[in-house]
Amino acid sequence: MFKWEKVGKIFDPRDQKNESWMQEFAQSPSVLIYERHVRVYFCSRPSPTLDGQYLSFLSYIDLDRENLFKIVNICKEPILKLGAYGTFDEFGTNPISVIRNQDEVRVYYAGWTRCESVPFNGAIGLAISHDNGDSFTRLGEGPVLSYSPDEPFLLGSPRIRKYGGKWYLWYVSGKEWLQTDGKPEPVYKIRMASSGDGINWVKFGKDLIESKLGEHECQACPDVIFHDGKYHMFFSYRYSHNYKGKEGGYRIGYASSVDMINWSRLDEMAGMSVSEHGWDSEMVSYPHVFMLDAQTYMLYQGNEMGRSGIGLAKLDSPKNWIAK
């Protein structure tokens, strides 16, 4: 069983005392390691527009590598513009996942578009940085992975990794929309695609993780680590209704596999749950696992789907488990 020691909350945009474009939410953390600092990319939002709608933008903070609670830099403006009028990412980017590729940095992100019958739809886009991750330019106006005849609803929650020289993208695919308390709510499951170049993808075409909370369980943001001949997935799951509070809110699950295709779900091994009190007492979700100086860490978001900020936990057990 994994045992994570919660170290505390590292960032909440609502705590900033100076004027900032970031007003609410720190969601979907993803890390790049630099020589002297750790950059945490995430998605944040300005105040809602006059019609009550939110936009979501890519952002980052830099943490002192020697003290991950010391913020040494906060980006002054969004580092990726939203898509053009009518494009798949016109209204937001969230969630995101970053990775280095030779002399560039790539961010894979879910783009939002607004709909009439349901609130939104989503597809997965790619943007590239040639200035060491300070700013990004999208690969093109369209997504690199979108809905298709066998995946007709939204795609999102991308998590990118490279193993054996091959690219792997874990994501979620919408299964259906349910009418819940008079509002449409999506049901989505974890899937996978592979690629030789990280641009042209072949979908595996199958749900990877069995449902624990019934057929309408929602799963999100699977982060996959390879260690000791096995792939380890930490992911989020929740009920499809009453999920914005503690009762039905997100929890962190765990599954393992030797081939990335067949997974055994053992949530009791995840070792990460809500706190008794405070900013992550109602939900924990969107885990991102990384190694820094021989220590394995997890970043995650807390209550209200990340409105309460991003927290850090370090792996306490097993001691010799190092993410690669």
Side-chain angles (χ1 to χ4, degrees):
M1 179 175 175
F2 296 94
K3 182 180 180 182
W4 299 90
E5 178 190 347
K6 291 182 178 180
V7 185
K9 181 161 65 171
I10 61 171
F11 183 72
D12 184 338
R14 299 173 302 180
D15 294 337
Q16 296 187 83
K17 293 182 172 56
N18 59 330
E19 291 293 326
S20 172
W21 67 271
M22 286 186 281
Q23 293 297 308
E24 297 184 59
F25 291 93
Q27 297 176 299
S28 183
S30 186
V31 160
L32 284 184
I33 307 297
Y34 293 78
E35 183 178 355
R36 295 187 177 181
H37 66 274
V38 174
R39 178 161 293 178
V40 181
Y41 292 91
F42 58 94
C43 300
S44 191
R45 308 183 193 183
S47 298
T49 53
L50 293 177
D51 61 0
Q53 299 273 17
Y54 279 101
L55 301 173
S56 180
F57 294 88
L58 179 62
S59 182
Y60 71 78
I61 56 174
D62 290 333
L63 309 177
D64 187 329
R65 184 165 175 160
E66 302 298 323
N67 178 7
L68 295 179
F69 283 91
K70 182 179 180 181
I71 298 174
V72 296
N73 183 36
I74 301 176
C75 72
K76 303 298 189 296
E77 60 185 17
I79 55 177
L80 177 67
K81 296 179 180 179
L82 295 184
Y85 185 66
T87 57
F88 81 102
D89 54 355
E90 178 183 359
F91 296 105
T93 57
N94 180 32
I96 56 96
S97 183
V98 295
I99 191 172
R100 282 195 174 91
N101 180 50
Q102 298 178 355
D103 61 349
E104 66 185 24
V105 177
R106 294 184 178 187
V107 59
Y108 292 81
Y109 64 93
W112 298 357
T113 186
R114 294 176 184 167
C115 303
E116 183 172 332
S117 60
V118 296
F120 62 91
N121 210 342
I124 296 172
L126 168 61
I128 298 174
S129 172
H130 296 287
D131 58 7
N132 205 24
D134 289 342
S135 64
F136 290 82
T137 302
R138 56 184 36 78
L139 183 68
E141 296 296 332
V144 293
L145 201 69
S146 189
Y147 29 91
S148 56
D150 64 325
E151 295 180 348
F153 302 111
L154 65 95
L155 267 63
S157 288
R159 287 296 193 190
I160 188 74
R161 297 281 185 180
K162 282 184 76 176
Y163 293 117
K166 195 171 185 178
W167 296 78
Y168 293 92
L169 184 67
W170 285 270
Y171 64 98
V172 300
S173 172
K175 306 292 286 186
E176 61 180 313
W177 285 85
L178 301 174
Q179 283 292 332
T180 304
D181 298 326
K183 298 189 300 182
E185 294 285 357
V187 176
Y188 36 81
K189 306 294 185 183
I190 293 170
R191 292 196 163 196
M192 182 183 73
S194 62
S195 172
D197 59 9
I199 298 173
N200 300 289
W201 294 93
V202 176
K203 295 178 179 179
F204 180 60
K206 175 185 173 184
D207 298 345
L208 297 183
I209 305 298
E210 64 179 345
S211 293
K212 173 183 177 180
L213 305 179
E215 63 175 322
H216 295 146
E217 174 185 87
C218 290
Q219 305 164 352
C221 270
D223 202 20
V224 176
I225 301 298
F226 181 76
H227 174 72
D228 197 23
K230 186 182 292 187
Y231 297 93
H232 305 264
M233 178 191 293
F234 294 90
F235 63 96
S236 308
Y237 67 98
R238 63 168 174 81
Y239 287 91
S240 59
H241 61 281
N242 194 27
Y243 62 85
K244 295 186 178 180
K246 186 172 185 177
E247 183 179 350
Y250 270 122
R251 299 293 186 267
I252 292 176
Y254 168 80
S256 65
S257 173
V258 295
D259 58 9
M260 289 189 279
I261 297 173
N262 301 291
W263 292 86
S264 298
R265 179 173 180 174
L266 295 167
D267 292 345
E268 62 273 16
M269 287 186 60
M272 186 70 175
S273 190
V274 295
S275 299
E276 291 188 13
H277 309 284
W279 73 278
D280 62 349
S281 60
E282 295 182 356
M283 63 183 74
V284 288
S285 61
Y286 288 35
H288 173 59
V289 179
F290 67 99
M291 188 193 75
L292 177 67
D293 301 329
Q295 176 66 55
T296 301
Y297 293 95
M298 177 187 288
L299 285 169
Y300 65 99
Q301 62 188 42
N303 298 346
E304 297 183 88
M305 318 289 280
R307 181 182 265 116
S308 63
I310 296 171
L312 180 70
K314 64 179 181 179
L315 188 64
D316 184 58
S317 177
K319 293 289 187 182
N320 63 343
W321 200 88
I322 300 298
K324 297 180 181 179

